[in-house]
DNA sequence: GCCGTTTTCGGCCCGACTGTTTTCAGTCG
């Protein structure tokens, strides 16, 4: 998607202006535009072609000047201001400010004083010990820069939410052993259930913060202490992940949790709203002059600002404040609303457990149904089943269903969408299924119009109930295939096909922004784990979180329905 | 550079920690 390239350019303009000590609000304007463009779900070129500059300016953070620059990029694939700024600095210079602890001021100083043009130059200078001779520099600063370079090299980027969850649980478990720790909560992107996580943010309330700080910085998984103060510490863990801890007073819990949950843009908007009301918000509370008027719990803070409570998943710094002002934040779906799981695999294709084992595990989760959706024949690498094998599995399901009480196994299949848009099984076979999932598993590298037509053709099949992992992305591994998501959603809406929210932490597909627009189009979802083993049935929570980030309620999701209503919904397309 | 149920001009979040400084700048959350 072109938006990513455009966002990157504006971010670079911001960085370059920072090096030149430009106006910091102008810099922030470029940063804001970059972030909003990056997270925008429609292609800017499409918007421009349809609605011109005015269309672009509808985007938050995009005004006349930036809209013109977007236009420039669409026409010429580059932006002059960006090119001109780049020319003022050596190639590779921007990488310097990516080093933790190095900001624009330090980078420029080293550039001017020591002619440092790149990270390689910097490494050499550090090795020779040249930095500590500069005014304002001593041994420690040089050492920190050296460590910063090492850290940058080791850092693995962003983590899957499941990985971060595991690390966080381990840290929290140990903090819970401290009797000095009052409340302990995960905060930051992990509490917002963002699809990837940069670091682990933890909030503790305590009357004696020093003891908590000491313990945290001495945990066995801590490799390095980046900073340690009275209310805040940062460490690097053995797995190279960063963890930030804030420790505040118990009566500051609400405002502290709100601050530390973010996101940053949401915080800024909250604080701006407070200013308009003659108030001030910080992690220490909501203040009117010197008087604290809220902060014990989050709800108190929202109340005092005239806002409905905003669940963490919605705190994205977008339109959630406006919606909360109007009292229109919906009651989001919860894990306990889920009554069944509509995508999983068994030993009949590439799953590790039998149908019976999957059913029993699901029943123990409190579900009243599952669908077994093994792969179709073309999926050779995933041991796709032939028609004969499929019906053998269905016989097995009939026998199990006869014995299971208050639980039903649905006969399903995850059928491949072949490159021409036809399906891997004929309608004669599909009509024997209770639920049919269609998915793209091969031929990813197709031009957008072909891929879009391919998928739409599949959605038009009256037996296809659910489009599985609709964009095909694998987080940190594989980009989505090139499909026009809007056209796909339109087809889903026209044909009464449901969209999957795949709960696997590597997929999370559809993702939040797409879920949101699909919901606005009236599309219903199936949140499914795509499990290949019983334990993965536990991934449902990640799918529900993604659904919540897309503003969905219980009514938007078909696997919250009791079995009779679900079956009716599934058969209604035929 | 963006934005507007008090504004089309004049605001733009607020605070912690470090290293270096003798009062604060830089970086980060
Ligand atoms: N008010 C305010 N709050 C901030 C700022 N930067 C960070 N925060 C708050 C909101 C963030 O969600 C929270 C944790 O900061 P992080 O840098 O860890 O960001 P976050 O966890 O949101 O994303 P991440 O996945 O770690 O990149 O601290 C800021 O500049 N101003
Ligand atoms: Mg974080
Ligand atoms: Mg953090
Ligand atoms: Zn699949």
């Amino acid at each position: 998607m072109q938006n990513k390239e455009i966002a990157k350019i504006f971010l670079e303009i911001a960085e370059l202006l920072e090096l030149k000590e430009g106006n910091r609000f102008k810099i922030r304007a470029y940063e804001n535009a970059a972030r909003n463009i990056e997270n925008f779900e429609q292609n800017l070129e499409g918007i421009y072609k349809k609605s011109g500059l005015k269309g672009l300016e509808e985007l938050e953070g995009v005004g006349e000047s930036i809209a013109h620059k977007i236009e420039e990029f669409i026409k010429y694939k580059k932006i002059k201001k960006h090119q001109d700024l780049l020319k003022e600095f050596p190639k590779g210079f921007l990488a310097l400010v990516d080093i933790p602890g190095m900001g624009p001021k330090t980078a420029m100083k080293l550039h001017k004083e020591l002619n440092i043009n790149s990270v390689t130059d910097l490494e050499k200078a550090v090795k020779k010990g040249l930095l500590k001779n500069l005014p304002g520099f001593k041994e420690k600063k040089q050492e920190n820069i050296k460590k910063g370079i090492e850290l940058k090299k080791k850092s693995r980027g962003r983590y899957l939410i499941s990985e971060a969850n595991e690390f966080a649980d381990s840290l929290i478990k140990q903090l819970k052993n401290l009797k000095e720790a009052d409340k302990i909560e995960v905060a930051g992107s992990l509490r917002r259930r963002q699809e990837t996580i940069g670091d682990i943010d933890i909030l503790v309330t305590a009357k004696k913060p020093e003891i908590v700080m000491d313990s945290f910085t001495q945990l066995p998984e801590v490799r390095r202490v980046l900073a340690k103060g009275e209310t805040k510490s940062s460490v690097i863990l053995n797995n190279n992940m960063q963890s930030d801890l804030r420790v505040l007073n118990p009566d500051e819990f609400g405002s502290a949790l709100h601050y530390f949950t973010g996101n940053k843009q949401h915080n800024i908007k909250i604080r701006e709203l407070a200013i308009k009301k003659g108030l001030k918000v910080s992690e220490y509370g909501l203040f009117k002059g010197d008087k604290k008027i809220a902060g014990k719990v989050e709800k108190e803070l929202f109340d005092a600002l005239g806002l409905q409570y905003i669940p963490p998943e919605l705190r994205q710094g977008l339109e959630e404040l406006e919606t909360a002002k109007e009292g229109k934040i919906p009651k989001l779906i919860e894990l306990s609303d889920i009554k069944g799981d509509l995508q999983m695999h068994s030993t009949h294709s590439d799953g590790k457990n039998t149908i019976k084992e999957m059913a029993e595990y699901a029943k123990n989760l409190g579900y009243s149904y599952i669908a077994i959706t093994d792969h179709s024949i073309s999926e050779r690498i995933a041991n796709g089943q032939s028609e004969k094998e499929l019906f053998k599995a269905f016989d097995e399901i009939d026998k199990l269903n006869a014995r299971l009480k208050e639980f039903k196994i649905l006969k399903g299949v995850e059928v491949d969408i072949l490159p021409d848009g036809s399906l891997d099984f004929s309608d004669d076979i599909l009509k024997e299924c209770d639920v049919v999932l269609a998915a793209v598993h091969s031929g990813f590298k197709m031009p957008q119009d072909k891929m879009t037509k391919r998928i739409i053709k599949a959605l038009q099949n009256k037996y296809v109930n659910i489009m599985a992992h609709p964009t095909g992305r694998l987080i940190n591994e594989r980009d989505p295939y090139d499909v026009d998501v809007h056209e796909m959603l339109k087809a889903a809406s026209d044909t009464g096909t449901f969209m999957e929210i795949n709960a696997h932490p590597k997929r999370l597909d559809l993702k939040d922004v797409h879920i949101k627009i699909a919901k606005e189009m009236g599309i219903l979802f199936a949140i499914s784990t795509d499990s290949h083993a019983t334990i993965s049935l536990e991934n449902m929570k990640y799918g529900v979180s993604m659904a919540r980030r897309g503003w969905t309620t219980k009514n938007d999701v078909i696997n919250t329905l009791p079995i009779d209503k679900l079956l009716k919904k599934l058969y209604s397309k035929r």
Side-chain angles (χ1 to χ4, degrees):
Chain A
M1 185 108 129
Q2 208 184 29
N3 292 9
K4 294 243 178 323
E5 288 174 62
I6 298 174
K8 186 161 174 267
I9 289 177
F10 288 136
L11 205 62
E12 285 188 6
I13 291 179
E15 285 176 336
L16 291 160
L17 289 175
E18 234 185 328
L19 290 170
K20 294 183 66 174
E21 303 190 39
N23 180 298
R24 65 199 181 96
F25 300 111
K26 194 192 272 196
I27 292 166
R28 207 175 97 178
Y30 276 109
E31 287 169 351
N32 282 341
R35 193 189 46 253
N36 290 332
I37 289 166
E38 160 123 46
N39 295 327
F40 191 60
E41 87 291 345
Q42 291 185 58
N43 209 331
L44 289 185
E45 183 161 2
I47 303 274
Y48 174 71
K49 289 217 168 104
K50 214 170 117 211
S51 325
L53 288 167
K54 283 278 159 287
L56 295 174
E57 285 179 44
E58 305 256 305
L59 245 125
E60 216 187 302
V62 177
E64 209 186 321
S65 162
I66 290 185
H68 272 103
K69 292 190 175 66
I70 295 171
E71 177 182 50
E72 199 184 331
F73 181 87
I74 290 168
K75 284 187 177 155
Y76 310 113
K77 296 276 163 267
K78 56 186 174 194
I79 295 170
K80 185 164 185 300
K81 184 178 176 102
H82 178 234
Q83 301 285 320
D84 289 349
L85 282 167
L86 277 176
K87 275 183 212 134
E88 295 185 38
F89 298 90
K91 211 166 172 251
F93 192 70
L94 279 180
L96 283 172
V97 290
D98 274 346
I99 295 167
M102 278 265 289
K105 295 284 188 327
T106 313
M108 284 314 285
K109 187 161 192 176
L110 296 180
H111 180 53
K112 284 187 183 127
E113 305 278 341
L114 295 173
N115 196 29
I116 283 170
N117 293 331
S118 65
V119 178
T120 321
D121 288 351
L122 180 62
E123 279 183 291
K124 281 184 200 148
V126 166
K127 219 172 203 165
K128 287 188 196 147
L130 298 179
L131 272 61
K132 61 176 189 290
N133 304 326
L134 298 174
F137 277 78
K138 277 182 161 174
E139 197 68 58
K140 270 193 177 153
K141 241 183 199 172
Q142 173 165 292
E143 190 56 27
N144 279 341
I145 286 174
K146 189 174 163 209
K147 284 180 176 167
I149 298 171
E150 284 164 21
L151 207 62
K152 176 73 195 155
K153 282 186 175 164
K154 279 187 193 146
S155 112
R156 220 204 65 185
R158 302 188 62 83
Y159 291 74
L160 296 181
I161 188 167
S162 49
E163 298 171 315
N165 231 6
E166 209 176 291
F167 303 148
D169 283 350
S170 154
L171 295 175
I172 284 174
K173 205 173 134 196
Q174 295 175 74
L175 291 172
K176 280 204 167 130
N177 291 332
L178 296 174
K179 60 178 190 303
E180 288 80 9
D182 176 34
K183 291 202 178 73
I184 304 172
E185 293 284 339
V186 63
S189 50
L190 194 51
R191 181 163 185 249
R192 299 195 312 276
R193 315 309 284 166
Q194 199 168 282
E195 63 186 40
T196 62
I197 307 296
D199 68 351
I200 294 173
D201 302 297
I202 299 173
L203 171 71
V204 173
T205 56
K207 293 210 177 71
K208 290 184 181 158
E210 321 81 55
I211 299 176
V212 178
M213 283 301 176
D214 287 345
S215 305
F216 177 71
T217 49
Q218 286 165 26
L219 288 176
E221 49 263 80
V222 170
R223 166 183 304 160
R224 220 188 112 197
V225 178
L226 295 173
K228 178 165 177 268
E230 280 172 32
T231 80
K232 178 175 144 182
S233 291
S234 289
V235 301
I236 297 292
L237 305 173
N238 286 328
N239 56 29
N240 289 321
M241 207 171 181
Q242 182 171 330
S243 181
D244 298 329
L245 178 75
R246 290 288 316 244
V247 185
L248 280 88
N249 283 322
D251 63 352
E252 293 157 349
F253 175 70
S255 48
L257 183 60
H258 178 266
Y259 150 73
F260 212 22
T261 297
N263 65 10
K264 173 177 166 177
Q265 199 52 31
H266 171 90
N267 287 355
I268 290 175
K269 287 192 172 187
I270 287 278
R271 289 166 185 214
E272 282 172 347
L273 177 66
I275 292 170
K276 279 200 195 117
K277 291 177 182 279
L279 307 170
K280 184 185 79 170
V281 171
S282 75
E283 57 264 52
Y284 298 101
L286 175 65
F287 297 89
K288 185 170 197 161
D290 285 342
K291 197 168 157 253
K292 184 162 148 183
I293 57 174
K296 219 170 164 48
V297 292
E298 281 188 328
K299 187 163 179 311
E300 199 180 80
L301 183 69
F302 286 114
D303 278 349
L305 288 170
L307 297 173
Q308 201 182 352
Y309 177 80
I310 303 174
E313 293 91 337
L314 298 186
R315 300 183 198 166
Q316 299 170 18
L318 300 171
E319 77 271 54
E320 71 272 11
L321 258 68
E322 289 308 312
T323 313
K325 257 181 228 168
E326 295 164 7
K328 288 185 180 156
I329 302 276
K331 183 176 179 335
L332 301 180
I333 184 172
E334 288 173 21
L335 184 58
S336 57
D337 293 326
I338 299 292
K339 294 212 168 61
D341 192 334
L342 296 177
Q343 179 175 186
M344 68 190 64
H345 302 265
S346 74
T347 45
H348 286 272
S349 66
D350 57 348
K352 289 198 177 58
N353 290 95
T354 62
I355 296 177
K356 183 160 176 273
E357 286 163 347
M358 297 303 277
E360 279 167 356
Y361 198 100
K363 196 159 184 260
N364 278 334
L365 288 177
Y367 290 165
S368 47
Y369 51 84
I370 56 169
I372 297 293
T373 56
D374 279 308
H375 292 285
S376 57
I377 182 85
S378 290
E379 269 304 281
R380 293 240 160 66
I381 41 163
N383 188 26
Q385 352 163 62
S386 68
E387 167 183 344
K388 212 171 129 193
E389 288 165 324
L390 181 76
F391 287 124
K392 215 176 117 201
F394 285 1
D395 282 343
E396 189 182 328
I397 289 174
D398 281 333
K399 285 191 190 118
L400 285 166
N401 274 335
R403 283 194 286 140
L404 284 163
K405 286 201 181 70
E406 288 168 19
F407 190 89
K408 191 170 163 77
I409 306 170
L410 302 186
K411 296 170 186 167
V413 66
E414 183 182 13
V415 64
D416 264 35
I417 303 174
L418 301 174
D420 66 352
S422 65
L423 299 175
D424 204 15
F425 280 142
S426 70
D427 286 1
D428 282 345
I429 299 173
L430 298 181
K431 76 164 187 268
E432 300 301 322
C433 301
D434 296 313
V435 54
V436 175
L437 278 56
V440 172
H441 287 117
S442 57
F444 294 103
K445 288 200 166 61
M446 250 185 199
Q448 189 185 73
D449 57 332
K450 266 183 104 179
M451 183 61 96
T452 307
K453 280 197 187 114
R454 171 185 180 185
I455 290 171
I456 289 175
K457 188 173 168 195
L459 299 187
Q460 283 164 345
N461 181 301
K462 66 177 177 180
Y463 297 105
V464 170
N465 301 116
I466 299 169
M467 178 66 197
H469 42 75
T471 73
R473 70 157 176 184
L474 292 176
I475 296 172
N476 288 348
E477 272 176 37
R478 184 175 77 202
D479 282 340
Y481 43 70
D482 197 4
V483 60
D484 184 329
V485 175
H486 279 248
E487 289 300 317
M488 172 168 68
L489 293 178
K490 221 158 84 207
S493 165
D494 290 345
T495 58
T497 313
F498 309 122
M499 281 284 136
E500 184 177 79
I501 298 173
N502 193 295
H504 195 286
K506 262 195 188 174
R507 289 196 182 269
L508 299 174
D509 182 12
L510 289 179
K511 65 174 177 182
D512 43 22
V513 290
H514 289 145
I515 294 168
K516 185 154 189 288
I517 52 169
K519 180 199 153 90
E520 283 161 7
M521 294 167 78
I523 290 169
L524 300 183
F525 306 94
I527 309 179
S528 310
T529 60
D530 198 354
S531 288
H532 288 71
T534 52
I535 184 70
S536 312
L537 292 166
E538 307 276 358
N539 285 338
M540 184 60 80
K541 56 179 180 275
Y542 301 121
V544 171
S545 298
M546 196 40 73
R548 287 170 64 85
R549 288 179 58 87
W551 295 68
T552 63
T553 67
K554 183 180 173 183
N555 290 338
D556 298 316
V557 176
I558 60 169
N559 50 317
T560 61
L561 293 169
I563 183 69
D564 49 331
K565 288 197 174 139
L566 172 73
L567 284 171
K568 225 164 133 188
K569 265 243 160 5
L570 291 172
Y571 278 82
S572 66
K573 192 181 175 187
R574 298 191 178 181

